[in-house]
Amino acid sequence: MRTVTGPSDHVVVIGGGLAGLSATLHLLGAGRRVTLLEQDKSPGGRAGQADFGGNTVDTGASVLTMPELLDEAFSAVGESLADNLTLTRLDPAYRARFADGSTIAVHTEAAAMEAEIREAAGPAEAEGYRRLRRWLTELYAVQKDQFIGANFDSPFDLVRPELAKLAALGGFGRLGPKIGGFLRDDRVRRLFSFQALYAGLDPARAIGAYGVISYMDTVGGVYYPKGGMGAIARAMAAAAERSGAELRFGTEAAWLERVSSRVRAVRTRSGERIPCDTVVLATELGTAYRLLGARPRRPLPLRYSPSAVVLHGHAPKTWPELGHHTIFFGHAWEKTFSEIIREGKLMSDPSLLVTRPTATEPTLAPGGDQVISVLAPAPNLGRGKIDWRRVGPAYRTELLRTLEKRGLTGFADDFSVDETITPAGWAERGLTAGTPFSLAHTFAQTGPFRPGNLMRAVDNVVLAGCGTTPGVGIPPVVISGRLAAGRVTGR
């Protein structure tokens, strides 16, 4: 494995999201001195948090899977996840409501999910679920260490025994047809394939290997940390500080002072010079390239994932239809992906994710309200030509009315919107193409073909975060921090 060259005693980590914090903990565990710089006033990045009128709202990621990866990061400094966070396993992980009025709860315990599917779709579908669950488990076992959790120096690193096993499992075929080989009911197929959208892909076109995301959701389990998703970053930051890291919030890196192929110091927006031996750039990929003043040559342009319109708000009441996570599926499932990914249009028949964390932790809203967020997939700015400043308010109203038609009686009147974020809003926050989901996981942007975490033009800089390997989502970005630290320490 290639590593940075020269001394690496003092590492400056730029970016206080989960990738940067993971890198910090692993570097501290390997005996490095770490200074972390974060331009915001608090840690979190894409897993951040905000206060709206006294209500605590998660403004980014809302689904936590594979918490053992967080435990691994805490263990690097001699602590544990249990010492730092209280997790609740959500059961059901999701509630799914379909346009025909039917509902299916997604349980991650095998017997409970089998019973749910048998009641909703019959015994043959329950048998298909058992076979699908075994396939997803095998798929994850083959990939977790040698593909998801590994650094790559070249495509030839893929040539290992696990590659043949992955191919034999159908990892290089299409995910949609593979799921269809186990399940016949369209509703049940959706429950085990919609996760491909997290990776910026149409489930029908994603490669089968991305069934690992379905594994994380539907087998590994979905969790909620007490205090909200923002508590994860706060706990990681506190553990890093206890282990000697210097955390500098409200400090923006402006440029890297470079002599030939080595960075000698980080210059902040305020003019401060911070000498260092090595730098980890745990930032938006475009920001990392701007700071470096370089970008890798690629035969194909980078392709970004679809974006999302997100409404954060509150209501004085709840609805029995809403669990912690509720997916409202429209009729036009396949058409949805064509519209937002290929045509750059708004969904004509929206499928929506509604998150109500007060279902699990009522104290997030001290006044007794319900904290609710609505997420609608949308085209990114590179694909769509939508005037969001004009369309945004009308689309917000349309989404509220859609939920009302799907069973949330009075929702349009009772739900008060505190914040609306459109792709234009994500772009204003510095996210390329106006998407919080970074690069799509196309085959040309997967594994060794994804932008690497080492750049040959610079000897002592490593990248971390969702734009580099292994990719998007809380588990991959936590892994990316460990992989970045490994490029520094050789571990």
Side-chain angles (χ1 to χ4, degrees):
M1 181 182 69
R2 290 175 56 219
T3 61
V4 299
T5 60
S8 61
D9 297 328
H10 179 209
V11 183
V12 172
V13 176
I14 301 175
L18 300 188
L21 291 165
S22 173
T24 296
L25 291 171
H26 285 286
L27 288 165
L28 290 166
R32 279 13 181 222
R33 180 165 71 93
V34 181
T35 301
L36 182 144
L37 309 181
E38 167 54 49
Q39 63 183 0
D40 291 338
K41 299 296 184 182
S42 57
R46 283 175 166 85
Q49 210 164 50
D51 181 287
F52 293 112
N55 295 336
T56 300
V57 176
D58 292 316
T59 56
S62 63
V63 177
L64 172 62
T65 59
M66 311 307 289
E68 57 268 31
L69 296 171
L70 293 173
D71 191 47
E72 183 182 72
F74 284 115
S75 296
V77 293
E79 300 191 20
S80 71
L81 176 64
D83 293 334
N84 288 276
L85 288 166
T86 300
L87 299 185
T88 298
R89 184 168 178 139
L90 299 181
D91 186 27
Y94 301 91
R95 293 180 185 174
R97 301 185 64 84
F98 299 91
D100 64 2
S102 62
T103 63
I104 300 177
V106 178
H107 302 280
T108 51
E109 197 276 320
M113 191 64 210
E114 184 179 337
E116 182 80 13
I117 292 176
R118 181 179 293 108
E119 181 177 350
E125 202 72 355
E127 167 60 25
Y129 160 71
R130 285 198 296 270
R131 292 186 292 110
L132 172 63
R133 186 181 177 99
R134 288 195 293 271
W135 178 71
L136 292 174
T137 302
E138 291 176 25
L139 195 68
Y140 178 71
V142 167
Q143 293 187 74
K144 70 184 182 78
D145 293 327
Q146 301 301 325
F147 296 103
I148 301 171
N151 274 314
F152 292 99
D153 290 330
S154 87
F156 294 106
D157 291 341
L158 285 172
V159 182
R160 53 188 68 177
E162 292 79 9
L163 184 66
K165 294 179 184 178
L166 182 59
L169 286 169
F172 298 106
R174 296 298 181 188
L175 178 63
K178 186 67 179 180
I179 297 291
F182 296 104
L183 304 169
R184 292 290 180 262
D185 190 293
D186 179 64
R187 299 168 303 161
V188 184
R189 287 202 303 265
R190 293 185 192 187
L191 297 179
F192 294 93
S193 61
F194 80 88
Q195 295 87 353
L197 190 57
Y198 296 159
L201 301 169
D202 178 342
R205 299 188 175 205
I207 61 173
Y210 282 112
V212 295
I213 311 176
S214 301
Y215 170 88
M216 293 174 185
D217 260 16
T218 65
V219 179
V222 175
Y223 295 80
Y224 172 79
K226 184 178 181 180
M229 300 296 284
I232 300 172
R234 292 195 297 272
M236 295 175 79
E241 200 159 36
R242 286 192 295 273
S243 296
E246 180 185 3
L247 307 183
R248 306 272 299 275
F249 297 109
T251 303
E252 182 179 359
W255 55 285
L256 305 181
E257 182 183 302
R258 188 167 148 190
V259 178
S260 187
S261 61
R262 293 194 68 82
V263 172
R264 303 294 187 184
V266 176
R267 296 280 190 162
T268 70
R269 189 67 64 189
S270 64
E272 183 182 4
R273 181 180 185 273
I274 304 174
C276 59
D277 297 312
T278 304
V279 175
V280 174
L281 291 175
T283 66
E284 176 75 356
L285 188 63
T287 302
Y289 290 159
R290 176 180 58 79
L291 289 169
L292 282 169
R295 59 192 311 120
R297 295 180 179 178
R298 295 179 60 84
L300 297 172
L302 294 174
R303 176 178 158 188
Y304 282 82
S305 297
S307 184
V309 174
V310 181
L311 314 180
H312 296 300
H314 63 280
K317 55 177 278 191
T318 189
W319 289 262
E321 294 83 0
L322 289 183
H324 190 115
H325 295 297
T326 308
I327 306 171
F328 291 82
F329 286 105
H331 280 292
W333 180 238
E334 288 79 10
K335 185 179 179 182
T336 289
F337 297 102
S338 177
E339 288 172 332
I340 63 175
I341 295 177
R342 289 182 288 282
E343 300 173 36
K345 298 178 180 178
L346 295 176
M347 294 179 288
S348 57
D349 183 17
S351 290
L352 308 171
L353 171 64
V354 180
T355 300
R356 181 172 69 96
T358 41
T360 303
E361 188 173 6
T363 54
L364 294 175
D369 281 354
Q370 297 295 317
V371 171
I372 299 171
S373 296
V374 179
L375 184 149
N380 65 41
L381 296 183
R383 178 66 62 180
K385 304 301 180 186
I386 299 167
D387 182 352
W388 284 105
R389 287 166 181 78
R390 180 180 62 82
V391 172
Y395 192 53
R396 175 184 63 197
T397 301
E398 180 183 333
L399 294 176
L400 299 182
R401 288 175 178 166
T402 296
L403 288 169
E404 191 161 287
K405 292 175 183 176
R406 303 272 177 87
L408 303 187
T409 304
F411 191 77
D413 294 325
D414 293 326
F415 179 64
S416 298
V417 179
D418 295 314
E419 181 181 46
T420 300
I421 312 173
T422 69
W426 296 119
E428 289 168 359
R429 299 179 185 200
L431 301 183
T432 307
T435 175
F437 303 115
S438 192
L439 298 180
H441 283 262
T442 60
F443 183 79
Q445 295 178 169
T446 293
F449 308 112
R450 200 166 180 83
N453 56 10
L454 276 185
M455 295 186 66
R456 296 186 183 279
V458 190
D459 293 337
N460 61 335
V461 174
V462 188
L463 307 187
C466 54
T468 185
T469 186
V472 180
I474 288 181
V477 299
V478 172
I479 292 171
S480 83
R482 173 173 61 80
L483 296 179
R487 292 292 197 183
V488 177
T489 65
R491 294 187 176 184

